[in-house]
Amino acid sequence: MPKIGMEPIRRNALIEATIDEIGKAGSLNVTVAQIARRAGMSTALAHHYFGSKDQMFLAAMRHIMTAFGARTRAELAAARGPRERLNAIIAASFDEREFRPEVVSSWLSFYVQAQNNPGARRLLNVYTGRLHSNLVFNLRQLTNIANAHAIANGVAALIDGLYIRQALHNNRMDRFQTMGLVWDYLDLKLGQAGRMMKDPLDPSRLATSP
């Protein structure tokens, strides 16, 4: 096979191998040699393309996030109106493909790495920022800007928390029951926000939990 044009193919092979090896190990406790062997190339070539294991892992997470973004756009394309678009974002977040063992291991490792690795932290900020802005964009059409940001923070926290519980098998609910919890939260918070906007001086709102 000619070498011209091989770089993107080899890079993609290394990315897929990185995800597979992390899934097999259940952590970042893998070596560049293992990744290269799975990809069918030398360790030196793997270093040539990515420089380090950390860079391979960041590339793997970008690959996973790109796939997640594509699924989100596909869900959004079928949605009508802001509430359906919110439901679509939630559905994409709990797509069955997000729960493949190798993807789960990659996400859990990514959260740990982001605590100390500046590159991982920046990438995580990109992911959380996009999720927040997508939620706020649609929530802003249903409530005021302050409520939109507050509700978006709650929805994002539920998505992350419930994903981790599902991934660790600490949640006995199925996918739709899990999504239902987030939908119920949206109904509750949008209902509360609507009542407060309709009658901002109603003293009963003071008893409403945040």
Side-chain angles (χ1 to χ4, degrees), residues 94-168:
F94 293 102
D95 187 280
E96 292 178 354
R97 284 162 289 190
E98 290 296 315
F99 291 93
R100 289 183 296 145
E102 63 272 24
V103 174
V104 168
S105 294
S106 296
W107 272 112
L108 295 181
S109 298
F110 180 56
Y111 281 119
V112 173
Q113 192 186 43
Q115 296 180 74
N116 301 306
N117 183 294
R121 168 58 64 180
R122 285 193 294 272
L123 186 56
L124 179 59
N125 287 341
V126 169
Y127 161 72
T128 56
R130 286 176 179 170
L131 176 60
H132 185 81
S133 63
N134 284 334
L135 291 170
V136 169
F137 174 80
N138 290 290
L139 286 164
R140 184 65 185 87
Q141 300 173 59
L142 300 171
T143 185
N144 64 40
I145 189 66
N147 287 331
H149 281 285
I151 296 171
N153 285 333
V155 170
L158 277 172
I159 288 173
D160 287 346
L162 289 170
Y163 177 82
I164 291 172
R165 290 188 66 182
Q166 287 280 77
L168 297 177

Side-chain angles (χ1 to χ4, degrees), residues 61-73 98 100:
M61 285 309 305
R62 291 188 190 97
H63 178 79
I64 289 171
M65 290 180 185
T66 298
F68 169 70
R71 286 194 289 274
T72 302
R73 289 190 293 275
E98 290 296 315
R100 289 183 296 145

Side-chain angles (χ1 to χ4, degrees), residues 163-176:
Y163 177 82
I164 291 172
R165 290 188 66 182
Q166 287 280 77
L168 297 177
H169 306 291
N170 289 333
N171 189 348
R172 296 182 180 180
M173 296 180 294
D174 62 26
R175 175 180 181 242
F176 291 101

